[in-house]
Amino acid sequence: MDPLKAAAALLFCLALFWLVLRLTQRLMTMAIAAGHAEERRRLEAEAQADQATGAVP
């Protein structure tokens, strides 16, 4: 194989790998943030439910 073609193929593969890695990192960050938001919503809902049941004798 021509060394120039091999270098071009290597650069292309490295660029693809870098793009996939960045996309994966962003998706993981979004999933973690969504999990934290869901946990906050659940805790707030539980706190409101506790307040509602505590207010009624």
Side-chain angles (χ1 to χ4, degrees):
M1 186 173 200
D2 182 27
L4 186 59
K5 286 183 182 178
L10 178 66
L11 286 175
F12 179 74
C13 288
L14 286 174
L16 273 179
F17 177 78
W18 183 78
L19 289 172
V20 169
L21 183 66
R22 293 288 298 154
L23 177 63
T24 303
Q25 287 174 340
R26 285 186 181 206
L27 290 174
M28 290 298 294
T29 301
M30 288 172 50
I32 290 169
H36 286 268
E38 179 63 30
E39 180 71 12
R40 274 194 303 273
R41 275 187 242 122
R42 186 182 61 80
L43 290 174
E44 288 173 1
E46 285 180 5
Q48 287 177 355
D50 288 343
Q51 286 177 354
T53 57
V56 177

